[in-house]
Amino acid sequence: MDTQLARLSQLIILLDRESDICDDKGNVIRPNDLVVYLCKDEKDRDYEHYGVVRATPNGYRVAHFFTGETVKPEGKIVRVGIGYIHLAHYTPNWLFKERPEKEHPEKASDIQIKARIQKSREKILSAKDPLWNLLSYNCEHWAREMV
């Protein structure tokens, strides 16, 4: 309980200290929002790369899941790769996508999201098999699982 109160105090101080943070389209960004970064794939097709906004003592960060070297195994259409989790500084080109509803019964608390991200990092570090999969477990799947 003391840990939760300390974390809540940190977040309140951060939010009081910061004016509203907005994306390039003027949407207000809040902790635990889903955000997207507009990207292009190797065939110049548009896609959205998902992340989760995190409030830290050093400002807002975006936790996101991506793959380094992507491989396409022989005889398979689906691309797979080793997944990585990174906390990047929030910049306005991360566009607001969705805010988890407070009334939603499965919405995680800030403490739960922090723990899920940490557990996910540990799982990736100990994994022997690729975790990122274009169709079944990509950045959007990961971000939604965290919140």
Side-chain angles (χ1 to χ4, degrees):
M1 185 63 135
D2 289 339
T3 305
Q4 288 178 327
L5 288 174
R7 177 75 176 141
L8 183 58
S9 294
Q10 284 179 333
L11 292 174
I12 289 170
I13 290 167
L14 176 66
L15 292 173
D16 284 346
R17 182 174 58 191
E18 297 281 343
S19 56
D20 281 344
I21 294 175
C22 297
D23 67 12
D24 280 342
K25 294 185 177 182
N27 298 303
V28 174
I29 300 298
R30 296 280 182 241
N32 304 324
D33 282 351
L34 290 178
V35 290
V36 294
Y37 193 90
L38 304 178
C39 300
K40 292 202 178 276
D41 69 9
E42 66 279 353
K43 293 183 180 176
D44 204 37
R45 296 177 295 204
D46 295 331
Y47 73 93
E48 296 177 331
H49 177 63
Y50 277 70
V52 178
V53 176
R54 301 294 301 141
T56 73
N58 297 321
Y60 283 15
R61 301 286 189 268
V62 178
H64 62 110
F65 178 68
F66 66 99
T67 184
E69 194 171 314
T70 301
V71 296
K72 189 185 273 188
E74 195 172 323
K76 290 187 176 181
I77 295 172
V78 178
R79 292 183 301 166
V80 297
I82 301 296
Y84 301 96
I85 297 170
H86 180 250
L87 246 65
H89 287 279
Y90 175 79
T91 61
N93 15 9
W94 282 95
L95 303 176
F96 174 81
K97 183 68 175 186
E98 188 176 313
R99 182 164 293 134
E101 297 297 325
K102 290 180 181 180
E103 298 81 28
H104 197 279
E106 294 177 21
K107 180 188 180 290
S109 70
D110 187 70
I111 298 289
Q112 289 171 315
I113 292 171
K114 181 180 179 182
R116 287 176 184 179
I117 290 170
Q118 182 59 38
K119 185 176 178 181
S120 182
R121 281 183 142 169
E122 291 167 6
K123 179 181 170 187
I124 287 169
L125 289 174
S126 66
K128 293 178 179 71
D129 296 322
L131 299 175
W132 182 91
N133 183 298
L134 180 63
L135 298 178
S136 65
Y137 197 71
N138 60 40
C139 60
E140 180 179 0
H141 297 105
W142 180 87
R144 290 184 183 283
E145 182 181 298
M146 295 304 109
V147 298

